[in-house]
Amino acid sequence: MPELPEVEHARRLLQRHLVGKLVRSITVDTADDKVFEECSKTFEKMILGKRFVSAHRKGKLLWLEADRAPHPIFHLGMTGAFFIRGEERIRYVDTRGGHESSWPPRFTKLRLQMEDDTEAAYTDPRRFGRIRLSDDPRKFISDSKLGFDALNELPDEAEFLQELERRKRSISKALLLDQSFAAGIGNWVADEVLFQARIHPQRVVGSLSESEKRQLRSSIHNVVSSAVDVDADSDKYPRSWLFHHRWSKSKSGKVVNEEGLEIKFETVGGRTSAFAPKIQRLRSGSRTDSARPVSNGRKVSTKRRKQKSIGIVEGAEDEGEGDEVGGSSPIGNMRRRSRRLAALQHGEDEDRKGVAKGDEVKVCVKNE
């Protein structure tokens, strides 16, 4: 699933190529009422002839501000991506290795042609992304109850420690996935943050020392900013990162990084989690089942906790990644309209049902 670095890449791409230009032509996949939230038939009419004045992002939500309302808002889902005709393509890493170069790309849902002949395409093979129109994107974002943006709004140390204290019963991995805590952090970023902070994904937040909490904040900043600095090109991520080894779960044999650390895989917070037990130790009394999972005050039965040794994502109970922030928020409404969207939220293993073994999609991007 595209996470903050990948969505920021998309924002910068649109900022460079579409902002300041008039939309001259639009092609919409009008048959797809899943990707387009009640606007597949009206999108062309509402956007044609407008000029985009800026591109914005909050967490994993992206929107283009036009010279007049309404404005398009995008959530890239699991495989959504933007491409510019004639530009070097960036793709999600998959096991096939190849990538087409035709135009428009396969699985295109939206094409925009600008006044200077620049062409942009939005593709979404798995159709978990969402496109909607809003008269007030900032109000939409505010109503979504997202937490701080992990790139642009990281709280200062004192405020961050206070926030962790308020969520001390949460599980470290589940908390990072909760979009009402930190908007934009997904599965691979959360694993990388915990790896660099040397914190086991099942550690209860309340068991962390003050030094570990400070290191957690520092790791969020380092991982997110470093990935964004190289425009989400995974080939440029430091070789010491867990990222380069976390995709090896399906392969037989032991997974070991370049430093000789064995990488283990467990389900935490509803997602497959990669970690190095030697440096990310689970201390006595600090594991998931020693805490009382809570989510917005709702009770969780003891029987249920025994059945699933995972942490509850606060504000998104059992929703895995935590994109759904609960309640009747716009994001929640968008998601609940799709019968299969639960598959997106319940982790990589669930997402891959029905996908051919050789076509498994991983959630990073790199240049061809």
Side-chain angles (χ1 to χ4, degrees):
M1 181 178 189
E3 303 181 23
L4 190 154
E6 292 83 23
V7 182
E8 177 63 13
H9 161 79
R11 187 200 69 79
R12 294 181 178 186
L13 189 72
L14 299 183
Q15 180 71 37
R16 289 195 305 270
H17 295 282
L18 302 190
V19 168
K21 301 175 184 178
L22 195 74
V23 182
R24 188 176 70 187
S25 174
I26 298 178
T27 304
V28 175
D29 183 355
T30 56
D32 198 332
D33 289 327
K34 181 179 179 181
V35 171
F36 288 89
E37 283 287 335
E38 302 177 352
C39 65
S40 62
K41 305 296 190 297
T42 60
F43 190 94
E44 180 179 5
K45 179 182 178 181
M46 294 293 99
I47 300 300
L48 188 64
K50 292 183 177 179
R51 188 179 303 275
F52 294 131
V53 297
S54 56
H56 304 274
R57 180 194 55 76
K58 169 82 173 191
K60 301 175 188 178
L61 286 174
L62 169 68
W63 73 97
L64 282 165
E65 183 177 349
D67 54 6
R68 59 190 184 277
H71 316 272
I73 301 177
F74 305 88
H75 188 290
L76 304 188
M78 183 180 177
T79 57
F82 280 97
F83 300 104
I84 302 297
R85 186 173 190 176
E87 292 293 312
E88 183 178 18
R89 295 198 183 183
I90 196 164
R91 64 178 176 85
Y92 297 105
V93 176
D94 59 42
T95 55
R96 290 168 294 182
H99 192 68
E100 60 175 322
S101 58
S102 62
W103 188 268
R106 293 177 64 199
F107 310 112
T108 292
K109 301 299 176 183
L110 172 67
R111 288 174 61 192
L112 299 171
Q113 185 174 29
M114 314 307 287
E115 59 183 338
D116 65 348
D117 292 329
T118 297
E119 285 190 42
Y122 172 77
T123 68
D124 194 352
R126 298 294 300 275
R127 300 174 62 231
F128 286 120
R130 294 294 177 268
I131 301 174
R132 68 169 295 156
L133 297 173
S134 172
D135 288 340
D136 191 347
R138 287 177 174 79
K139 183 179 185 302
F140 175 87
I141 299 300
S142 177
D143 291 345
S144 298
K145 300 180 176 64
L146 295 174
F148 63 84
D149 183 86
L151 176 66
N152 300 321
E153 301 170 350
L154 185 64
D156 62 30
E157 199 169 79
E159 185 180 348
F160 185 81
L161 294 178
Q162 290 175 2
E163 185 63 27
L164 292 185
E165 179 62 24
R166 286 191 288 269
R167 298 170 179 262
K168 61 184 178 182
R169 291 183 177 180
S170 301
I171 307 309
S172 295
K173 173 67 180 284
L175 178 61
L176 290 178
L177 294 177
D178 182 357
Q179 300 301 288
S180 71
F181 171 69
I185 295 180
N187 205 32
W188 82 256
V189 171
D191 281 352
E192 193 66 51
V193 165
L194 292 170
F195 174 75
Q196 295 191 23
R198 301 199 169 199
I199 296 172
H200 193 285
Q202 292 193 59
R203 286 281 300 280
V204 177
V205 172
S207 74
L208 302 178
S209 67
E210 184 167 313
S211 175
E212 287 175 318
K213 293 175 181 178
R214 295 177 190 274
Q215 184 57 48
L216 181 63
R217 179 186 178 279
S218 177
S219 293
I220 291 174
H221 169 73
N222 291 338
V223 171
V224 173
S225 61
S226 295
V228 169
D229 285 346
V230 296
D231 206 21
D233 184 346
S234 61
D235 285 343
K236 298 178 181 179
Y237 293 166
R239 297 309 304 173
S240 60
W241 277 21
L242 173 69
F243 177 94
H244 299 290
H245 304 279
R246 71 179 313 279
W247 314 110
S248 305
K249 179 190 175 186
S250 61
K251 298 179 181 179
S252 60
K254 184 184 297 187
V255 180
V256 180
N257 73 359
E258 295 176 348
E259 298 176 355
L261 294 173
E262 183 178 3
I263 308 302
K264 293 287 189 178
F265 301 88
E266 293 182 6
T267 299
V268 182
R271 304 300 301 275
T272 299
S273 302
F275 63 99
K278 186 175 182 179
I279 63 171
Q280 294 172 267
R281 297 178 180 177
L282 189 58
R283 300 175 182 177
S284 177
S286 66
R287 64 177 296 113
T288 304
D289 53 15
S290 67
R292 179 185 301 172
V294 294
S295 179
N296 290 340
R298 293 189 291 271
K299 294 181 179 180
V300 182
S301 68
T302 302
K303 181 179 179 181
R304 186 181 181 187
R305 291 203 305 271
K306 290 180 179 179
Q307 290 174 339
K308 298 179 71 177
S309 181
I310 63 174
I312 302 299
V313 180
E314 292 188 18
E317 184 173 15
D318 286 341
E319 288 299 303
E321 180 163 0
D323 267 357
E324 185 97 48
V325 294
S328 59
S329 69
I331 292 181
N333 293 335
M334 290 168 66
R335 297 295 175 82
R336 283 189 287 271
R337 293 191 186 107
S338 171
R339 292 180 300 172
R340 295 191 59 204
L341 193 58
L344 173 61
Q345 301 289 350
H346 281 93
E348 294 166 352
D349 297 333
E350 181 71 16
D351 287 335
R352 290 171 179 172
K353 287 183 179 180
V355 183
K357 184 176 180 181
D359 292 343
E360 293 182 352
V361 179
K362 296 175 182 177
V363 293
C364 55
V365 293
K366 63 186 293 185
N367 289 318
E368 290 189 286

